[in-house]
Amino acid sequence: MTGRPPVADWATDFDHTDPRWTEDPYAIMAELRGRCPMARSERYGGLHAPMRYADVRAIAYDTDHFSSKRVVIRENPPNVPLPSPPITSDPPHHKPARMLLLPAFTPQRIDPLIPDARRICNELLDSLAGRSEVDAAIDYAQHIPVKVIAKMLGIPEAEGDRFREWIHVFIEDTIVDDGTSADRLVATAREMDAFFGHYAELRRKEPKDDLISFLLAAQHDGAPLTERHFYGALRLLLIAGIDTTWSAIGASLLHLATHPADRDRLVAEPELMPLAVEEFLRAYAPVTMARRVKEDTELAGCPMKAGEWIMLSFPAANRDPDVFPDADKVIIDREDNRHAAFGLGIHRCIGSNLARMEITVALEEWLKRFPKFTLQDDARIAWSKGPVRGPRTVPVRLG
Amino acid sequence: MTGKRIRLVVDDEKCQGHNRCRLLAPDLIEIDDLGFAHAKGDGSVSPEQADKARLAVKNCPEFALRLVTDDR
Ligand code: HEM
Ligand code: SF4
């Protein structure tokens, strides 16, 4: 923790690493929407934070003025570029980098993983047998995406702690500068590359049905991927696939642990699950990405200078009452729900089918075992900070 | 025969493959090998399918779906 001055005024001195934003961003979003829906800040070298759905959407669509080259707001970005195509690619490079991944994440490819996901969840639930109190985030939610993506990539799931540590360095620990942040980020990327390099060597000799083999065989502009592209894409798949989904499962379980009427209704009417999952994604959207202003422009009357950051808060868009009536209320059978939790436009989350499947299976299996679970009295919820927000502790009573 | 026919139309330029439509209206949508949506057959929506079609339209994050009514 470095000593950053607390935010003086959210409209003009916005900082998403302020503990109050981490604790409860929704109150701040609502306050800002009422008086200044495009918050700004001199921090990070200049930052704009739109709170309205319409502005988030406009920026996501306007790749001419807003670049994805850096999608995590950092005080001190490293000088070494660490591209992770396609998330850090702008047109025209984005499309081919995205197209080569899309076939591996269609519903046709994800649906066959459902039995595996169910088995993974049930093994985790079996391991809780005999306990009356557990942590739904630590003992359950966090392991599910690790095991699923490890299997898809073709790397050992037993290394889960290491994956989460890498991710922590990438998206939490190095966003505020402590003098070593940029170096630690680069060192972590290199450690990941060495790890993936080991498995790439094995798959080159003997390909398997996994994403490392798939990327080794992939073609980009008629040639195999460059090393930079190959390792960048693998880092992206590991980082994008774990804390995001963990956060979504954890936030959904936290909601159900604290809203017994919703919990009972989902147990009684399991056919509501698809609508409920989308509503949890809307209300507790975990992912906020960044853009950089490419050339001076203006949006919603606010001038924006080249090089400034945009904090593209899909969570804020999803709580906009102009688009979602009763936006701060979770309505598990909400029917009109064009939420933006998986982004909007050309960078739409490639893992959305996978994530949705994991969340659905995780909630279904949990509720079958523990239909009456509740939050422990005096439970304190710790939220992650940075671009992926979710509860890192959800202490529950199972009985 | 006279009457109105409703069709579900996917705008290929707008669809980004969120696949919300396929969950809400599986009888009406098919997904290609890249994850993009297409209307099944000629897109015709029977009266019994109309609610599901409307639900899919209202949930597409990219506004890529619409219902059109033709005379026949
Ligand atoms: C609930 C879980 C998840 C959420 C909320 C989520 C959210 C997002 C969002 C908002 C974006 C857009 C980023 C932008 O516009 O800059 C994105 C992109 C992406 N996500 Fe996810 N994600 C989740 C899970 C996953 C999973 C499981 C994977 C797969 C391993 C994944 C892979 C990706 C990739 C590859 C991109 C980049 C797409 C592109 O730039 O074309 N995500 N995600
Ligand atoms: S919901 Fe919309 S964007 Fe998504 S696949 Fe269907 S038509 Fe395409």
Side-chain angles (χ1 to χ4, degrees), chain A residues 40 49 61 71 122 150 163 169 198 207 211 226 234 241 261 284 286 343:
Chain A
R40 57 173 286 95
Y61 274 78
V71 284
N122 277 299
F163 304 159
V169 171
H198 170 71
L211 288 170
T226 60
L234 284 172
Y284 306 112

Side-chain angles (χ1 to χ4, degrees), chain A residues 185-228:
Chain A
L185 182 65
V186 175
T188 301
R190 294 299 162 252
E191 198 184 319
M192 293 176 78
D193 297 353
F195 171 85
F196 282 122
H198 170 71
Y199 291 96
E201 222 25 73
L202 296 175
R203 296 299 181 273
R204 216 170 261 128
K205 293 191 197 113
E206 197 183 329
K208 291 195 175 167
D209 181 18
D210 60 28
L211 288 170
I212 292 182
S213 308
F214 172 84
L215 283 174
L216 282 171
Q219 297 270 315
H220 185 74
D221 291 338
L225 307 193
T226 60
E227 286 217 340
R228 201 160 106 139

Side-chain angles (χ1 to χ4, degrees), chain A residues 70-281:
Chain A
R70 294 192 188 275
V71 284
V72 177
I73 299 172
R74 299 180 185 283
E75 218 169 19
N76 183 18
N79 294 323
V80 197
L82 294 172
S84 284
I87 206 164
T88 56
S89 317
D90 289 329
H93 306 290
H94 171 263
K95 193 172 178 184
R98 180 175 169 89
M99 299 277 274
L100 71 88
L101 287 178
L102 285 176
F105 291 91
T106 58
Q108 300 87 300
R109 297 298 298 270
I110 298 304
D111 284 354
L113 303 177
I114 293 175
D116 270 322
R118 281 204 202 281
R119 178 185 50 76
I120 287 168
C121 290
N122 277 299
E123 283 169 7
L124 288 166
L125 291 164
D126 290 344
S127 77
L128 305 179
R131 294 172 60 184
S132 57
E133 296 192 335
V134 304
D135 194 304
I138 295 173
D139 299 322
Y140 185 63
Q142 72 169 343
H143 301 291
I144 298 164
V146 169
K147 289 172 190 279
V148 172
I149 196 74
K151 187 169 163 40
M152 287 181 77
L153 284 165
I155 55 180
E157 61 170 59
E159 303 268 15
D161 287 342
R162 223 164 139 200
F163 304 159
R164 278 187 298 268
E165 182 50 33
W166 288 337
I167 295 169
H168 183 73
V169 171
F170 251 80
I171 62 176
E172 283 199 78
D173 202 29
T174 58
I175 55 182
V176 171
D177 190 24
D178 65 359
T180 67
S181 307
D183 292 344
R184 278 191 295 138
L185 182 65
V186 175
T188 301
R190 294 299 162 252
E191 198 184 319
M192 293 176 78
D193 297 353
F195 171 85
F196 282 122
H198 170 71
Y199 291 96
E201 222 25 73
L202 296 175
R203 296 299 181 273
R204 216 170 261 128
K205 293 191 197 113
E206 197 183 329
K208 291 195 175 167
D209 181 18
D210 60 28
L211 288 170
I212 292 182
S213 308
F214 172 84
L215 283 174
L216 282 171
Q219 297 270 315
H220 185 74
D221 291 338
L225 307 193
T226 60
E227 286 217 340
R228 201 160 106 139
H229 187 158
F230 177 77
Y231 289 113
L234 284 172
R235 285 198 308 272
L236 170 61
L237 292 177
L238 190 73
I239 293 175
I242 294 181
D243 279 32
T244 50
T245 314
W246 170 20
S247 298
I249 298 170
S252 307
L253 287 172
L254 175 58
H255 177 88
L256 294 172
T258 48
H259 295 76
D262 286 346
R263 181 202 62 198
D264 291 347
R265 191 158 173 222
L266 266 185
V267 171
E269 301 170 61
E271 67 280 6
L272 284 182
M273 191 57 90
L275 289 181
V277 167
E278 301 301 333
E279 177 66 347
F280 295 144
L281 282 164

Side-chain angles (χ1 to χ4, degrees), chain B residues 10 14-21 31 35 37 60-62 64-65:
Chain B
V10 185
K14 290 186 177 164
C15 173
Q16 295 290 354
H18 289 254
N19 297 166
R20 295 283 304 279
C21 53
I31 303 295
C60 171
E62 309 289 346
L65 292 172

Side-chain angles (χ1 to χ4, degrees), chain A residues 53 57 61 98-99 102-103 106-108 111 278 335-339 343-346 348 352-353 356, chain B residues 14 16-20 22-24 31-36 55-64:
Chain A
Y53 177 93
R57 179 176 194 93
Y61 274 78
R98 180 175 169 89
M99 299 277 274
L102 285 176
T106 58
Q108 300 87 300
D111 284 354
E278 301 301 333
E335 291 210 330
D336 206 337
N337 191 355
R338 285 181 212 272
H339 71 76
L344 290 168
I346 62 169
R348 185 273 303 171
S352 61
N353 291 307
R356 195 180 275 131
Chain B
K14 290 186 177 164
Q16 295 290 354
H18 289 254
N19 297 166
R20 295 283 304 279
R22 171 221 177 226
L23 284 175
L24 295 168
I31 303 295
D32 68 22
D33 288 346
L34 290 172
F36 296 107
L55 201 56
V57 170
K58 284 195 295 190
N59 282 281
C60 171
E62 309 289 346
F63 293 83

